Amino acid sequence: MTQPDAQIVTRFAPSPTGYLHIGGARTALFNWLFARGRGGRFLLRIEDTDRERSTPEATEAILRGLTWLGLDWDGEVVSQFDRRDRHAEVAREMLARGHAYKCFATQEEIEAFREAARAEGRSTLFQSPWRDADPATHPDGPHVIRLKAPREGATVVEDAVQGTVTFRNDQLDDMVCLRSDGTPTYMLAVVVDDHDMGVTHVIRGDDHLNNAARQTQVYHAMGWTVPVWAHIPLIHGPDGKKLSKRHGAVGLEEYQAMGYPAAGMRNYLARLGWAHGDAEFFTDAEAKAWFDLEGIGRAPARLDFKKLENLCGQHIAATPDAQLLPEIEAFLVAAGKPPLSQAQKDGLSRALYCLRERSKTFPELVEKAHFVLSSRPLDLDERAQAALDTVSRGILHELTPHLQNASWTREELEAVVAAAAGAHGLGLGKIAAPLRAALAGRTVTPSVFDMMLVIGRDETIARLTDAAG
Ligand code: GLU
């Protein structure tokens, strides 16, 4: 059979036992980038064979997380559990080919074997007496199906990140492929699924490197092509220790709730353990074009919140309005805020140009948008109240008639405000604080001139009049 042009196929294969971990999100991203940058396919398989620990809620959380991060997958989501008959079929096929055997050893017998081995100072890896038994001698009782793994030599994992990793075969026992109740083991299921799904590259956490040896043996037993392995180092906390709750957020959804834009997360996660020269800030198109397995480092990557914020700020600044607005709205909904009215949306849209700069997260942007999201009478926070002392209120009072007649351009507004401050021997800086307070009810705002331009003359004068009291 002639093969079509070899197409790259990657997959993300999470176990649905909890939230989508930031490390899992990065694994998914690497697989997505690798496939998408090469016209390949990116598949999603939910490894739900552990019925005790797998929940539909966890699957939902994973799909939600990937969707938010913008990682679209091809085709239907595959359930590993649904494929259990196929896994069993492969186990029986290995049996028929003589690459697997029925093992009737009981737990007690296995334990006794280990005890004896320990006492004699031999390897405690179980060596089944059934490995070479004549099937005619098989009893009728319960049995597992074990892989007839090679005992001599070595199993070599050629890994695109870790290099050549050699496992001595005398240190790998004949693993169980099918349990006595007929259910497949995880190790078998992964190989059968990856093969059937046509996966060409397995990019996953290096906690699976040892599994790759056993999985390679299954590929060999079935005569299947071994995929390219790429085992990526795990993510560590800023202190270089294994990432845990203690370091802060570890679930992807927590980052969404904190208001990091998805584009910034993609950029940051791509840089977490992978590099393309000195490039820090890049677009999806660049990431897809540049991503390669050679650029993945061998040392664990460290989470760096400063860098994350920095990149997120750059992405907020670079995202076109038409895309940014719905993202802000989605963030507000996710944060449990009421939906924006049409007037608020319009205001936000007019104000975006002066909000996007220097906003590292959506909450920062929304805080600065307070002047355009709230309406009179403004609620003044404590600092804003403090900024509006008697002298300041007097100046604001004097300012209003001048604004009445000013043409509404930045230059003229600057001139009018500077004149009002100058009349009291004050610099622009001194009058900016009460102006911010009057216009926004806050002290962290865009420039007073931007606010005036966005809300317009009538609203500006009304707010100053409110504040002047
Ligand atoms: N289900 C495994 C996990 O969540 C991943 C297995 C694999 O990628 O081969 O750790």
Side-chain angles (χ1 to χ4, degrees):
M1 200 173 83
T2 52
Q3 292 284 326
D5 273 357
Q7 193 192 31
I8 302 284
V9 180
T10 64
R11 48 59 159 190
F12 178 48
S15 305
T17 54
Y19 52 85
L20 178 54
H21 191 275
I22 184 96
R26 188 206 36 177
T27 299
L29 175 72
F30 280 14
N31 280 284
W32 181 80
L33 285 174
F34 192 74
R36 291 281 177 266
R38 290 166 175 75
R41 286 163 61 74
F42 169 64
L43 310 178
L44 179 58
R45 178 173 75 236
I46 301 294
E47 302 210 314
D48 50 358
T49 42
D50 183 341
R51 304 313 284 168
E52 299 279 297
R53 296 177 61 226
S54 302
T55 66
E57 293 75 27
T59 299
E60 282 305 311
I62 290 166
L63 302 190
R64 246 192 347 260
L66 293 176
T67 304
W68 173 72
L69 196 55
L71 308 186
D72 56 329
W73 55 90
D74 295 304
E76 299 286 316
V77 177
V78 173
S79 153
Q80 188 161 66
F81 180 69
D82 285 355
R83 293 179 36 82
R84 59 196 180 283
D85 291 348
R86 166 68 180 149
H87 305 144
E89 179 183 297
V90 171
R92 282 190 290 269
E93 200 176 321
M94 288 198 292
L95 194 61
R97 290 164 167 238
H99 290 302
Y101 61 93
K102 291 183 181 176
C103 171
F104 297 83
T106 62
Q107 272 313 314
E108 292 72 42
E109 285 166 350
I110 296 173
E111 213 23 70
F113 176 95
R114 294 212 174 106
E115 284 285 318
R118 217 169 285 135
E120 292 165 28
R122 283 188 287 114
S123 158
T124 55
L125 286 184
F126 181 57
Q127 297 200 357
S128 173
W130 298 99
R131 180 174 157 115
D132 296 309
D134 180 350
T137 67
H138 283 178
D140 218 4
H143 59 271
V144 300
I145 294 183
R146 285 184 189 272
L147 183 75
K148 200 172 197 171
R151 289 223 167 132
E152 312 281 300
T155 297
V156 176
V157 172
E158 293 293 352
D159 192 278
V161 177
Q162 312 287 337
T164 303
V165 188
T166 305
F167 297 83
R168 277 171 50 184
N169 286 334
D170 63 4
Q171 293 182 352
L172 298 168
D173 61 3
D174 289 347
M175 68 162 176
V176 175
C177 294
L178 206 64
R179 299 188 190 90
S180 56
D181 63 1
T183 59
T185 57
Y186 164 73
M187 208 69 91
L188 173 70
V190 170
V191 175
V192 175
D193 289 347
D194 282 339
H195 169 77
D196 288 0
M197 291 162 75
V199 172
T200 58
H201 292 69
V202 171
I203 306 169
R204 62 186 177 188
D206 67 7
D207 47 336
H208 287 282
L209 181 60
N210 287 336
N211 292 345
R214 294 179 176 285
Q215 292 169 359
T216 297
Q217 294 181 335
V218 177
Y219 280 100
H220 289 161
M222 287 302 291
W224 290 339
T225 308
V226 181
V228 174
W229 306 109
H231 287 93
I232 59 183
L234 301 183
I235 298 176
H236 283 184
D239 57 0
K241 304 224 169 79
K242 199 167 178 286
L243 189 62
S244 75
K245 274 271 167 215
R246 182 170 54 81
H247 292 109
V250 292
L252 183 69
E253 280 187 307
E254 293 172 75
Y255 288 83
Q256 178 187 13
M258 286 189 284
Y260 292 108
M265 281 306 285
R266 282 196 296 277
N267 187 161
Y268 179 68
L269 288 177
R271 277 291 289 109
L272 207 48
W274 171 80
H276 178 77
D278 296 334
E280 290 293 348
F281 172 84
F282 40 77
T283 63
D284 285 336
E286 287 168 330
K288 286 176 197 168
W290 294 342
F291 187 82
D292 56 5
L293 302 180
E294 293 75 51
I296 299 176
R298 277 205 211 183
R302 287 189 191 202
L303 259 194
D304 177 344
F305 286 93
K306 271 256 155 328
K307 195 153 139 186
L308 168 65
E309 293 200 335
N310 189 298
L311 286 173
C312 284
Q314 293 186 59
H315 278 277
I316 288 180
T319 308
D321 286 9
Q323 197 178 320
L324 199 54
L325 268 179
E327 281 192 47
I328 297 170
E329 286 186 67
F331 162 73
L332 290 172
V333 171
K337 301 276 183 341
L340 297 181
S341 66
Q342 193 53 48
Q344 286 176 314
K345 283 187 207 174
D346 293 345
L348 193 55
S349 162
R350 282 199 308 279
L352 266 187
Y353 80 92
C354 64
L355 298 171
R356 57 165 72 252
E357 298 297 330
R358 285 186 294 280
S359 290
K360 296 191 284 297
T361 62
F362 290 137
E364 278 186 31
L365 186 147
V366 168
E367 169 65 18
K368 283 196 277 178
H370 190 77
F371 80 98
V372 81
L373 295 179
S374 43
S375 46
R376 298 176 49 227
L378 297 187
D379 66 28
L380 274 62
D381 71 10
E382 245 174 66
R383 285 164 176 231
Q385 285 174 22
L388 285 168
D389 56 24
T390 324
V391 178
S392 306
R393 290 214 301 270
I395 303 175
L396 295 186
H397 190 71
E398 286 169 26
L399 187 59
T400 32
H402 297 291
L403 291 175
Q404 201 68 261
N405 301 319
S407 76
W408 215 248
T409 64
R410 183 181 302 269
E411 297 69 38
E412 188 147 347
L413 291 175
E414 280 178 9
V416 169
V417 171
H424 288 264
L426 298 173
L428 204 56
K430 275 277 182 279
I431 199 176
L435 260 178
R436 281 177 201 283
L439 291 169
R442 296 286 182 273
T443 47
V444 180
T445 71
S447 94
V448 293
F449 305 111
D450 281 322
M451 288 195 284
M452 289 181 181
L453 289 168
V454 169
I455 63 178
R457 183 197 310 271
D458 292 349
E459 185 68 18
T460 298
I461 290 175
R463 290 187 185 189
L464 295 192
T465 310
D466 287 350

